[in-house]
Amino acid sequence: MNKIFLMSVVLTISGVLPALGNEGDPDNGNALYEIYCTQCHGISGDGKGINIADMSVLPRDHTDKDEMSARTDEELMKAIKHGGKSVNKSVLMPAWDSNFSDQQVDDLVAYLRQICCTN
Amino acid sequence: MINHRNWVLAVTLLLAGTPYLVLADSDVAQLMADCGDCHALNNPNYTQQSATERKNRKAPPLFYAGNKFNRTWLVAWLQNPERIRPAGYYPPAHILRGADGDSVDTSSLPEHTALSAADAAQTADYLMSLKPFTSLVEAAAYEPGTLSWKMGNLTFGKFNGCDACHRDAPDYGGTSGPELYTAWARLQPGFIASYIADPVAWDPHTLMPGNSLNPEVVKKLADYLKVNGEDFK
């Protein structure tokens, strides 16, 4: 009992438990993706949105299983919140941290995992 | 002279919370009712709603029009409305999927009504009276300056990627955001700076990313829209 209590305290302090508790909702992520992301990443998430004609670097193809599997959830969250520059990618991906709550970012990542890797 | 029909309209707008000016020409009441079919003329308290409300909006909110537009531009545009947003106010509703990628379904984009000169002037007078966000403009404390077009263009494109969504020339840039080559004629300088710095403060569900720009970059971008806009004229 004491060991379990001690483990809970350690995990809570290290931030692991809150992370486990923040599971994203892919349906809500889908709704947010349509509103905010499709202009560049495309209606089907293939990176071919209406904005790409003059882009020097094309948006990420979110349906590319190999590319997306190589990114951790933390990397995806960081790119969404702080922009492409924060993960050594293009400035064309802006920072959305003042637009989205942490939960909404989790929802978007859950949706990205769905369109890249479960369909 | 306010006739019975317009008294009813005035009372209706008052009950709905719409700021209603007692105007000599009561036709303005009808104009405002028409505008209100698509544009929010009262603060809809977007923060109390989920982000999905954004897809249900028909047109940009105008309840802060007096903090946003230049009256001269507004009067001219209302008589001869030209498209500002190449992909409409909610781009995902106007996208066609194709083998080579998405494109804008221009046939689905609505046209804005053109007003007579007199109606445009009266509508502009009313809209310019709507100023709930003066404190945001004042907080931006933007004083227009100048910079080389080249440096501004690099700041807009290469350094910050604004051209991903916005056009700074009729034939260059993204199409999901409003075009910005006429922004300086269209928008008040303080609005430009404030909106670039913190678009979410103006609209919690704006499609414009906050992007955490420092004040120096905000000033450069606003100055670029001035220099670029003056070139465009």
Side-chain angles (χ1 to χ4, degrees):
Chain A
M1 185 69 178
N2 269 351
K3 274 185 181 172
I4 293 172
F5 176 74
L6 198 61
M7 265 187 73
S8 300
V9 170
V10 170
L11 288 171
T12 303
I13 290 170
S14 66
V16 171
L17 278 182
L20 289 174
N22 275 346
E23 203 154 296
D25 173 356
D27 291 338
N28 192 37
N30 186 3
L32 293 170
Y33 191 89
E34 179 198 296
I35 297 168
Y36 294 96
C37 311
T38 53
Q39 291 87 335
C40 295
H41 291 282
I43 285 287
S44 55
D46 60 2
K48 296 178 180 173
I50 57 170
N51 282 336
I52 66 170
D54 293 321
M55 283 188 182
S56 53
V57 178
L58 291 179
R60 170 75 62 214
D61 175 356
H62 291 146
T63 64
D64 184 328
K65 187 173 182 176
D66 292 340
E67 276 286 347
M68 293 300 287
S69 298
R71 313 278 164 222
T72 65
D73 285 358
E74 286 68 30
E75 281 177 292
L76 297 178
M77 287 173 194
K78 193 173 177 185
I80 295 169
K81 290 171 80 168
H82 304 299
K85 211 158 52 173
S86 72
V87 289
N88 300 316
K89 300 292 180 188
S90 172
V91 297
L92 294 174
M93 171 67 187
W96 293 96
D97 57 337
S98 60
N99 301 76
F100 297 141
S101 67
D102 285 350
Q103 182 60 55
Q104 287 175 314
V105 174
D106 289 338
D107 295 346
L108 279 165
V109 170
Y111 177 66
L112 292 177
R113 289 300 179 211
Q114 193 174 73
I115 61 171
C116 78
C117 306
T118 61
N119 293 332
Chain B
M1 189 71 182
I2 297 181
N3 62 26
H4 175 74
R5 175 171 161 255
N6 287 307
W7 268 115
V8 173
L9 259 171
V11 170
T12 305
L13 288 168
L14 274 173
L15 288 175
T18 303
Y20 179 76
L21 300 179
V22 179
L23 296 159
D25 187 348
S26 55
D27 287 342
V28 171
Q30 183 60 50
L31 285 170
M32 288 308 105
D34 291 344
C35 297
D37 281 346
C38 296
H39 299 277
L41 299 175
N42 304 300
N43 190 338
N45 292 317
Y46 292 130
T47 49
Q48 304 301 311
Q49 303 178 48
S50 80
T52 53
E53 66 78 22
R54 178 62 181 80
K55 65 193 292 182
N56 299 322
R57 295 187 204 171
K58 294 180 184 172
L62 292 179
F63 68 91
Y64 53 80
N67 292 126
K68 177 177 179 180
F69 294 111
N70 287 321
R71 185 185 181 281
T72 305
W73 176 88
L74 199 51
V75 172
W77 189 88
L78 286 169
Q79 295 172 72
N80 183 26
E82 292 186 10
R83 192 170 304 290
I84 296 166
R85 299 164 187 268
Y89 183 58
Y90 184 60
H94 305 287
I95 293 177
L96 291 173
R97 290 167 71 171
D100 297 327
D102 298 346
S103 59
V104 179
D105 178 9
T106 52
S107 69
S108 71
L109 299 172
E111 298 293 332
H112 194 278
T113 307
L115 304 184
S116 69
D119 285 352
Q122 286 184 313
T123 301
D125 283 341
Y126 173 79
L127 292 175
M128 294 306 293
S129 73
L130 306 178
K131 296 181 177 180
F133 290 156
T134 301
S135 59
L136 290 178
V137 176
E138 288 173 351
Y142 169 62
E143 291 293 334
T146 191
L147 81 174
S148 75
W149 183 90
K150 183 68 181 168
M151 177 50 72
N153 185 255
L154 285 169
T155 305
F156 183 82
K158 188 171 184 179
F159 301 155
N160 293 288
C162 307
D163 55 355
C165 300
H166 296 284
R167 298 192 157 222
D168 58 348
D171 57 353
Y172 186 82
T175 55
S176 67
E179 56 84 358
L180 295 180
Y181 46 90
T182 68
W184 194 256
R186 186 167 79 238
L187 306 169
Q188 295 172 31
F191 170 81
I192 291 174
S194 176
Y195 202 90
I196 293 171
D198 190 359
V200 177
W202 289 81
D203 182 347
H205 303 144
T206 177
L207 303 187
M208 170 128 157
N211 227 8
S212 308
L213 301 174
N214 69 47
E216 190 184 339
V217 172
V218 170
K219 176 163 171 49
K220 279 184 180 172
L221 288 170
D223 287 348
Y224 173 63
L225 294 185
K226 173 177 183 286
V227 170
N228 189 57
E230 288 170 348
D231 269 5
F232 182 71
K233 276 193 297 184

